[in-house]
Amino acid sequence: EVQLVESGGGLVQPGGSLRLSCAASGFTFSTYSMTWVRQAPGMGLEWVSAIRNNGGDTHYGDSVQGRFTVSRDNSKNTLYLQMNSLRAEDTAVYYCARGRQGHIISDAFDIWGQGTMVTVSS
Amino acid sequence: EIVLTQSPVTLSLSPGERATLSCRASQSISTYLAWYQQKPGQAPRLLIYDASNRATGIPARFSGSGSGTDFTLTISSLEPEDFAVYYCQQRNNWPTFGPGTKVDIK
């Protein structure tokens, strides 16, 4: 079964850091670009970051540029999102998702994880 | 940044009726548009990619059309499980999503 499972969410104080993980299974992880999308409570979807299948190309939304870092370990079939200098407005469910076509970094997303909640509050 | 606008905000319909959802882009995005369905507490599900192609396992009652700046998602006959929020997303540039259309039961 093709699956993505996020972990690492939780409660963190403003200014703090958190690292999210996304474990992939059921497909050849190293051949797909991956992305992070978030959804604040009661709100719509916001694209956060993307990384090409080989890890050589990364991109970020304006709201997280300079604070978040996306990476991947293809030997462990795992995607990461390092989040630093967290703000209250980063509070959201964070989803990892697979790019449909594989190597295309800006793509439609055909497989999604169940999401992990990040709450930034004092 | 390419801005997507969706209309209506809410669509109130009965099972069996036809639903027509609109998505408009702030500039031309060719056919680089996808549609997703999201139910409460669940992750989004890809319905349509590249404006008119159904994703794997998506029923034929879902169809997409459009190019350039104007796109439509049509659900030909609403089933009870289709009442949800629908988002469009463009990939012509870095991805952006529309604000969503909620399809609820009349």
Side-chain angles (χ1 to χ4, degrees):
Chain A
E1 179 190 6
V2 175
Q3 195 172 11
L4 297 171
V5 178
E6 301 95 336
S7 61
L11 175 64
V12 60
Q13 292 188 340
S17 298
L18 212 55
R19 188 176 85 154
L20 306 183
S21 298
C22 169
S25 59
F27 64 98
T28 306
F29 180 69
S30 62
T31 63
Y32 286 90
S33 293
M34 299 293 295
T35 205
W36 288 97
V37 174
R38 69 183 180 183
Q39 186 170 35
M43 303 297 284
L45 302 169
E46 180 188 9
W47 175 75
V48 172
S49 180
I51 184 167
R52 201 175 293 276
N53 60 308
N54 61 6
D57 193 13
T58 60
H59 294 272
Y60 302 91
D62 290 344
S63 61
V64 307
Q65 179 78 47
R67 300 188 298 123
F68 289 13
T69 302
V70 63
S71 62
R72 63 192 296 161
D73 186 337
N74 285 345
S75 68
K76 295 182 178 179
N77 293 338
T78 303
L79 173 73
Y80 303 100
L81 185 68
Q82 177 67 44
M83 304 186 295
N84 298 332
S85 303
L86 282 161
R87 307 166 180 167
E89 54 265 35
D90 295 317
T91 295
V93 174
Y94 284 73
Y95 296 100
C96 61
R98 187 182 82 170
R100 189 187 66 83
Q101 299 181 81
H103 65 287
I104 303 296
I105 192 169
S106 184
D107 204 351
F109 312 120
D110 63 345
I111 304 296
W112 294 66
Q114 85 288 351
T116 188
M117 183 70 203
V118 172
T119 302
V120 184
S121 175
S122 55
Chain B
E1 177 181 308
I2 297 173
V3 176
L4 298 178
T5 305
Q6 292 187 243
S7 61
V9 173
T10 304
L11 193 55
S12 296
L13 295 169
S14 301
E17 288 193 294
R18 182 183 188 88
T20 303
L21 287 67
S22 175
C23 178
R24 176 165 289 178
S26 59
Q27 64 189 74
S28 178
I29 57 170
S30 184
T31 57
Y32 296 139
L33 188 95
W35 290 94
Y36 300 86
Q37 176 194 69
Q38 188 179 35
K39 298 179 182 179
Q42 296 185 17
R45 176 175 71 144
L46 178 66
L47 300 174
I48 301 288
Y49 65 91
D50 292 349
S52 61
N53 298 284
R54 272 190 304 276
T56 302
I58 301 304
R61 64 181 181 273
F62 291 93
S63 63
S65 63
S67 66
T69 61
D70 292 307
F71 301 86
T72 301
L73 174 70
T74 302
I75 310 171
S76 59
S77 177
L78 282 164
E79 296 288 338
E81 62 266 28
D82 299 336
F83 292 93
V85 179
Y86 293 82
Y87 294 96
C88 57
Q89 174 240 325
Q90 64 81 22
R91 68 175 188 90
N92 186 69
N93 201 339
W94 298 111
T96 53
F97 291 88
T101 290
K102 182 178 182 180
V103 178
D104 66 13
I105 300 176
K106 186 174 182 179

